[in-house]
Amino acid sequence: MARNDPIYKLVYFDLRGLAETARYIFAYAAVEYEDYRVKREEWPYQKDATPFRTLPYLEVDGDVIGQSNAICRFLAHRFNLAGHDDLQQARVDALVDYVNDVRTGGLIGWIREEDKEQKEKLKAEFFNKTVDVYLATFEKHLKANVDGNREYFVGNAPTWADFHIAILMGMLQEGEANVLAKYPLLKAHKARVDNLKGITDWIAKRPKTAM
Ligand SMILES: N[C@@H](CCC(=O)N[C@@H](CS)C(=O)NCC(=O)O)C(=O)O
């Protein structure tokens, strides 16, 4: 690290969750940062001091940015992973918003449910009824990448949307190992992102957490 490099501190719980895309961005860009993990018992004392009373937040030389997607977008712009022009950036943002649609459209409900029986029911509903429309739509976007070679969602090089989507696909595979069987482009895309320089190393060394 050079003397005048910015100092980054990413603060989240000891989870992949809403911080993992930012961690992929740092890993791919080969930029050093502090991956600070707040302990659950410490959180109530820290909550009020965070920008939105939630985690993650990012400190950049003492400036504080809240909201996971704002953090990623900021880092992506700094490290050239946001898309090469405004049109590409809009496509990246739209894909990221669609990940949010998947999360709110059944994924989070299933993951957060604590009652065992209800959790199984929500999981079955999500994987048997809901998920295919989302996956088919992602597959369609990958296929339709007109300004690229279909290896990445936008253009010919990785953007943070690729990281965000690959991380989502990993979560889905953890729930149902064969979930991508009918989606060859998406499956290959997930493997391609996992094999990117920096990201492979991060996946190998990151703390093993449930989510
Ligand atoms: N829209 C926010 C949501 C943040 C959020 O809900 N974070 C959760 C952890 S995943 C949190 O801070 N939970 C603890 C709490 O709300 O007290 C973002 O994307 O950053």
Side-chain angles (χ1 to χ4, degrees):
M1 187 165 164
R3 229 162 59 94
N4 292 327
D5 282 349
I7 295 178
Y8 297 102
K9 178 176 176 178
L10 179 65
V11 182
Y12 192 54
F13 296 110
D14 185 22
L15 298 170
R16 283 169 283 145
L18 292 178
E20 198 59 12
T21 305
R23 295 183 185 123
Y24 272 42
I25 295 173
F26 279 121
Y28 183 75
V31 172
E32 276 184 38
Y33 71 107
E34 184 183 355
D35 182 23
Y36 189 89
R37 293 168 185 245
V38 174
K39 291 193 176 57
R40 284 282 171 187
E41 60 272 22
E42 288 169 7
W43 172 236
Y45 305 100
Q46 300 191 7
K47 189 174 169 79
D48 286 345
T50 66
F52 296 95
R53 309 183 79 247
T54 53
L55 296 177
Y57 67 86
L58 176 74
E59 287 181 24
V60 187
D61 286 335
D63 276 320
V64 184
I65 303 167
Q67 295 292 333
S68 57
N69 285 346
I71 293 168
C72 290
R73 199 170 288 113
F74 164 79
L75 293 173
H77 277 284
R78 278 212 164 174
F79 308 142
N80 292 323
L81 288 163
H84 291 316
D85 56 29
D86 53 2
L87 204 52
Q88 285 199 355
Q89 286 160 14
R91 289 200 194 113
V92 166
D93 285 345
L95 288 158
V96 166
D97 284 351
Y98 196 56
V99 169
N100 213 42
D101 290 353
V102 181
R103 296 173 66 89
T104 53
L107 181 64
I108 292 297
W110 154 54
I111 289 177
R112 294 221 174 126
E113 178 59 52
E114 287 180 0
D115 179 84
K116 221 175 150 209
E117 210 172 297
Q118 181 65 3
K119 195 177 178 74
E120 278 311 307
K121 190 171 156 251
L122 291 178
K123 181 179 177 182
E125 232 169 69
F126 181 71
F127 282 105
N128 298 336
K129 291 192 193 147
T130 316
V131 83
D132 272 312
V133 172
Y134 293 123
L135 294 177
T137 305
F138 276 124
E139 182 93 351
K140 188 184 79 181
H141 277 268
L142 206 42
K143 209 177 220 160
N145 181 358
V146 285
D147 51 7
N149 53 17
R150 298 175 182 179
E151 291 199 342
Y152 298 106
F153 272 90
V154 178
N156 276 317
T159 65
W160 73 283
D162 293 295
F163 302 166
H164 206 54
I165 293 167
I167 289 166
L168 173 72
M169 295 308 139
M171 281 174 72
L172 298 181
Q173 286 173 324
E174 283 170 26
E176 182 61 64
N178 291 325
V179 69
L180 298 183
K182 286 187 279 170
Y183 307 97
L185 294 181
L186 262 183
K187 196 173 171 187
H189 172 266
K190 158 82 170 50
R192 188 172 301 117
V193 171
D194 287 358
N195 284 318
L196 286 172
K197 197 167 177 315
I199 290 183
T200 313
D201 295 347
W202 169 247
I203 292 172
K205 75 173 187 200
R206 69 186 170 189
K208 306 285 171 263
T209 55
M211 285 189 279

